[in-house]
């Protein structure tokens, strides 16, 4: 029986678009591509999610490695960085529908400390969660096994009673291996249909 819905945050409930964010600074596209390559698409960003670095420390690392980017990267990872996060209405509407249907809802997300503190305080949909785990809290990121187990143990959940929604296929594969019912979320995913499919499958087992 499905009792719980577990949500990833980034690109499910929260928009994260580094390219359009960086265009706010009116810098050449070549620099944007370089910053994406050196920061947002590297292990450095994973380590920021893991809680290893702050935004300032990450900027220092990129600035030292690429001096020509030092000024703009410190600006981009400075006080304006929180503008990179936006609410995604389709996912939030589904979250609210799940809450109305008396499912307990949790978040399981790769997120750095500073960014998470911002979104959790400024986005009202967080009030609907029964709890959750952010990667920086335990220094483990999806698809590592520990972060999934931490959520289950923290709230005494059974994986087979949980639907897990994430935009990253590898994260969903890892969840499925632990017994979750996973949904890979894209802009074309019909969450209502996926929910019906999983409920029907679960009822037969």
């Amino acid at each position: 029986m499905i009792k719980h819905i577990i949500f990833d945050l980034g690109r499910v409930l929260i928009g994260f678009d580094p390219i359009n964010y960086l265009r706010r600074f009116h810098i050449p596209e070549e620099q944007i591509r370089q910053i994406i390559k050196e920061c947002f698409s590297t292990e450095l960003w994973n380590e920021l999610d893991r809680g290893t670095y702050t935004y300032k420390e990450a900027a220092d690392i990129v600035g030292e490695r690429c001096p020509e980017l030092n000024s703009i990267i410190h600006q981009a990872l400075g006080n304006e960085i929180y503008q990179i996060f936006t609410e995604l209405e389709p996912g939030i509407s589904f979250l609210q529908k799940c809450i109305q249907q008396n499912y307990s809802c949790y978040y399981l997300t790769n997120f750095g400390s500073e960014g998470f503190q911002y979104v959790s305080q400024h986005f009202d949909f967080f009030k609907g969660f029964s709890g959750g785990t952010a990667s920086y809290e335990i220094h483990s990121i999806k698809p590592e096994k520990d972060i999934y187990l931490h959520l289950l143990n923290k709230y005494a959940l059974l994986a087979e009673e949980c639907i897990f929604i994430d935009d990253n296929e590898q994260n969903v594969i890892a969840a499925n291996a632990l017994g979750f019912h996973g949904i890979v979320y894209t802009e074309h995913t019909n969450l209502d249909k996926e929910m019906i499919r999983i409920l029907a499958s679960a009822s037969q087992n």
Side-chain angles (χ1 to χ4, degrees):
M1 180 179 180
I2 301 299
K3 299 180 180 179
H4 319 290
I5 316 298
I6 316 299
F7 289 82
D8 175 33
L9 294 181
R11 298 191 172 98
V12 177
L13 300 176
I14 297 176
F16 178 76
D17 186 348
I19 293 177
N20 281 326
Y21 167 67
L22 291 170
R23 284 175 177 154
R24 294 162 53 98
F25 297 97
H26 305 291
I27 58 177
E29 289 292 312
E30 182 179 349
Q31 277 197 330
I32 290 174
R33 289 192 295 271
Q34 190 177 1
I35 292 171
I36 296 295
K37 178 182 177 182
E38 296 291 343
C39 182
F40 292 98
S41 298
T42 66
E43 186 62 27
L44 174 64
W45 198 259
N46 288 337
E47 289 303 311
L48 195 150
D49 283 345
R50 197 185 294 276
T52 305
Y53 302 120
T54 64
Y55 288 132
K56 171 64 165 56
E57 290 167 339
D60 287 344
I61 291 171
V62 176
E64 183 175 347
R65 188 166 61 216
C66 305
E68 72 279 10
L69 297 177
N70 185 62
S71 177
I72 188 62
I73 195 67
H74 276 88
Q75 186 178 359
L77 296 185
N79 292 334
E80 293 187 56
I81 183 62
Y82 306 111
Q83 302 307 310
I84 202 171
F85 304 119
T86 57
E87 295 180 280
L88 295 180
E89 185 55 37
I92 293 171
S93 294
F94 184 74
L95 165 65
Q96 293 169 339
K97 186 182 300 184
C98 292
I99 294 169
Q100 292 168 358
Q101 294 174 352
N102 295 318
Y103 291 100
S104 58
C105 296
Y106 300 84
Y107 57 84
L108 183 63
T109 182
N110 289 351
F111 232 111
S113 173
E114 297 157 295
F116 183 81
Q117 295 305 319
Y118 177 85
V119 298
S120 62
Q121 292 171 16
H122 287 80
F123 293 167
D124 285 343
F125 68 79
F126 272 87
K127 298 174 183 176
F129 286 124
S130 297
T133 295
S135 57
Y136 79 90
E137 298 172 310
I138 62 168
H139 309 297
S140 175
I141 61 175
K142 296 174 294 182
E144 295 167 1
K145 184 177 180 180
D146 287 351
I147 191 170
Y148 301 91
L149 296 180
H150 181 272
L151 179 76
L152 295 176
N153 293 333
K154 183 177 181 180
Y155 298 101
L157 308 179
L158 297 176
E160 59 267 26
E161 296 178 345
C162 300
I163 292 176
F164 173 65
I165 304 168
D166 198 297
D167 69 305
N168 186 305
E169 184 177 11
Q170 293 305 311
N171 295 345
V172 173
I173 290 172
N176 288 341
L178 294 172
F180 290 82
H181 302 270
I183 297 174
V184 179
Y185 183 76
T186 73
E187 61 181 338
H188 304 296
T189 303
N190 186 315
L191 288 173
D192 292 308
K193 287 185 178 180
E194 288 296 305
M195 183 87 156
I196 291 170
R197 175 185 63 80
I198 290 174
L199 291 175
S201 176
S203 68
Q204 297 173 2
N205 296 330

